[in-house]
Amino acid sequence: MEMISVQQAEKIIFSQIRDFGTEDISYENALGRILAEDILADRDLPPFDRPTVDGIAISFKSYEKGVRNFTIKAVQAAGEAPVFIDEENNCVEIMTGAALHSSMDTVIRYEDILINNNLANINIDVKKGQNIHLKGRDKKVGEILVKANQVITPSILGIAASVGKTFLKVKKLPRVAIISTGDEMVSPDIPPTPFQLRRSNGITIQSVLEKYRISADWLHWNDDLELIKKELSQCIDRYDILLMSGGVSMGKFDYLPKACEELGIEKLFHKIKQRPGKPFWFGKSRNEKLVFAFPGNPVSVFMCLHRYFIPWLEKSLEIPETVRYAVLQNDIDFPFPLQYFAQVKLSVNTSGQVIAESVNTNGSGDFSHLAETHAFIELPLEKNEFKKGEVYTIWKYNF
């Protein structure tokens, strides 16, 4: 199978969208999960007429009749049962958010009255209904407060609590294993020999997935075909998704494609016309588990993760799509028949546009710039020269 385009790869990956079902969890544990139900108002909001200021409440009819001095019948705090008036020259001192009785329909601020000997004197012009937040003005009982299929934020949790929704239906998350391969890779806590490298891809992928509240397991396999086959067979039964790095290129010790083939894992594609990340391998098992096998270079892993896996995950969890764009700030020449993903620094100019400045790197093994850049900018295959001022798609990771 020859190399395919980025767009073809995306189409194949998006043809494998999965639904992992739903579960009910406590709202205390729901931050960052994907809401799978609408949150409805359990009563009118606000549930009663309430003042928006501290002051006195009167019946506007009394004011219309010329009454300007009102006897204070009572003081009512928020949360107390509403106090009523039955005489036209009476008023109630009332606090912001208290329940206003139907015998009163207008509220005047403390700043606009004088109080002496239990008498409140009004010294401004008053409009009927002023300073009152009416019952049901925001939402009626049964109306949608929060729509499903969005990331649960602190504000959504506050709304859920306000309507007594202490358990929320959320999208179940896939069971994910992160697997690195290669005899040359050692644990980060072990000093490497001059010819070894510390494993970094696992913690990088794991950290990105934590944003989606996915707790992935992290494994490492050496370059041994039989070992890889045995472990791979077990993982395909245990997990929904395998995110692998290394072992997919053309080297003599890149056993992953062969192991997948011998286990009956169907190759959906291998190699994309792109840089970095050309050797990316993607397939599915007989039991519909998916294998995303990225090349081992850290930048390749990072790019493929954000360009392919994260969009697949967000579609599977039905998170609304948010493709973003930026204006290129410098010319880029890329004289190869590949789609180029350049690392860029993002900022916002005085016109409110997101602008992208590319950073020169030394290929997909040079991950030193990932900490200072913010996104990959996707530069089309059919062009070799990209000019300042042109607009392209970006895939953000640090912005």
Side-chain angles (χ1 to χ4, degrees):
M1 185 187 291
E2 64 177 22
M3 277 198 293
I4 63 173
S5 70
V6 168
Q7 288 68 35
Q8 287 170 314
E10 179 185 73
K11 187 176 180 182
I12 291 168
I13 289 170
F14 285 174
S15 74
Q16 301 300 319
I17 296 301
R18 298 284 186 267
D19 181 355
F20 300 102
T22 62
E23 60 182 337
D24 292 322
I25 64 171
S26 164
Y27 71 146
E28 295 169 321
N29 300 318
L31 185 67
R33 296 291 297 270
I34 310 305
L35 187 65
E37 62 176 337
D38 295 335
I39 297 178
L40 308 178
D42 66 333
R43 53 182 180 163
D44 288 345
L45 294 178
F48 41 78
D49 293 347
R50 62 187 185 188
T52 58
V53 296
D54 299 326
I56 62 166
I58 64 169
S59 169
F60 189 73
K61 282 182 180 176
S62 304
Y63 180 83
E64 278 186 315
K65 289 178 181 178
V67 179
R68 295 295 181 270
N69 288 295
F70 291 83
T71 302
I72 298 168
K73 180 181 179 181
V75 178
Q76 185 190 327
E80 294 180 347
V83 178
F84 69 93
I85 58 171
D86 49 9
E87 295 183 24
E88 64 178 23
N89 68 336
N90 277 0
C91 72
V92 171
E93 274 191 73
I94 195 163
M95 305 304 127
T96 303
L100 184 69
H101 191 270
S102 59
S103 58
M104 294 163 286
D105 58 10
T106 302
V107 174
I108 301 104
R109 303 183 306 165
Y110 277 128
E111 296 93 321
D112 300 322
I113 58 176
L114 289 172
I115 296 179
N116 258 318
N117 298 324
N118 212 44
L119 276 179
N121 173 253
I122 298 173
N123 52 30
I124 62 157
D125 290 335
V126 174
K127 293 180 180 176
K128 184 178 181 180
Q130 70 180 32
N131 298 323
I132 296 174
H133 194 179
L134 295 174
K135 177 184 178 184
R137 182 70 182 268
D138 299 342
K139 293 287 182 180
K140 302 291 187 190
V141 61
E143 286 188 347
I144 295 174
L145 300 179
V146 181
K147 289 188 175 179
N149 301 330
Q150 57 179 306
V151 178
I152 295 172
T153 60
S155 56
I156 289 175
L157 288 176
I159 293 169
S162 74
V163 297
K165 198 88 170 108
T166 56
F167 278 84
L168 295 170
K169 190 178 292 297
V170 299
K171 297 287 177 73
K172 272 189 182 173
L173 300 169
R175 295 164 299 169
V176 178
I178 300 163
I179 302 159
S180 55
T181 62
D183 292 352
E184 77 281 14
M185 309 302 294
V186 299
S187 177
D189 56 353
I190 295 175
T193 70
F195 313 107
Q196 291 178 319
L197 298 169
R198 292 187 180 93
R199 299 171 205 150
S200 64
N201 289 332
I203 188 64
T204 302
I205 297 172
Q206 195 175 47
S207 302
V208 171
L209 296 190
E210 281 180 7
K211 176 186 169 188
Y212 297 87
R213 300 293 299 272
I214 293 173
S215 298
D217 291 337
W218 181 9
L219 312 169
H220 181 80
W221 302 340
N222 284 338
D223 293 323
D224 178 321
L225 179 59
E226 292 309 312
L227 168 79
I228 289 174
K229 278 173 62 178
K230 178 187 169 196
E231 298 285 345
L232 188 57
S233 176
Q234 292 176 356
C235 284
I236 283 294
D237 289 336
R238 194 178 306 147
Y239 299 98
D240 301 305
I241 307 296
L242 305 186
L243 295 177
M244 311 188 72
S245 63
V248 291
S249 297
M250 299 298 289
K252 286 190 174 179
F253 301 102
D254 290 325
Y255 293 128
L256 198 62
K258 183 175 174 63
C260 287
E261 182 185 346
E262 292 185 10
L263 288 174
I265 300 170
E266 180 188 357
K267 177 178 74 176
L268 298 177
F269 66 73
H270 186 194
K271 296 184 183 173
I272 306 174
K273 295 175 188 170
Q274 65 181 21
R275 181 178 291 178
K278 185 170 76 171
F280 179 13
W281 190 102
F282 178 67
K284 69 174 177 178
S285 67
R286 294 187 184 95
N287 57 351
E288 295 293 305
K289 309 297 182 68
L290 297 179
V291 178
F292 292 77
F294 307 134
N297 280 321
V299 179
S300 298
V301 169
F302 210 59
M303 192 283 284
C304 290
L305 187 72
H306 286 88
R307 177 60 183 88
Y308 299 105
F309 175 73
I310 294 301
W312 172 89
L313 177 66
E314 291 188 347
K315 277 189 176 291
S316 291
L317 296 176
E318 297 186 69
I319 300 173
E321 196 171 1
T322 52
V323 175
R324 296 177 178 90
Y325 302 91
V327 182
L328 194 58
Q329 284 304 285
N330 53 300
D331 295 349
I332 298 176
D333 291 337
F334 186 70
F336 304 100
L338 298 169
Q339 191 144 332
Y340 185 40
F341 290 83
Q343 293 178 53
V344 291
K345 292 182 179 181
L346 299 178
S347 57
V348 179
N349 65 18
T350 53
S351 302
Q353 295 174 309
V354 178
I355 56 176
E357 181 185 352
S358 71
V359 173
N360 289 325
T361 67
N362 296 308
S364 56
D366 178 7
F367 56 89
S368 61
H369 295 286
L370 286 176
E372 60 174 320
T373 54
H374 305 113
F376 293 103
I377 192 163
E378 183 171 332
L379 302 173
L381 179 67
E382 56 273 9
K383 290 174 66 175
N384 297 119
E385 294 181 350
F386 308 93
K387 301 297 183 187
K388 178 179 178 178
E390 295 175 347
V391 177
Y392 296 106
T393 303
I394 53 171
W395 302 91
K396 297 201 287 190
Y397 46 82
N398 283 338
F399 193 67

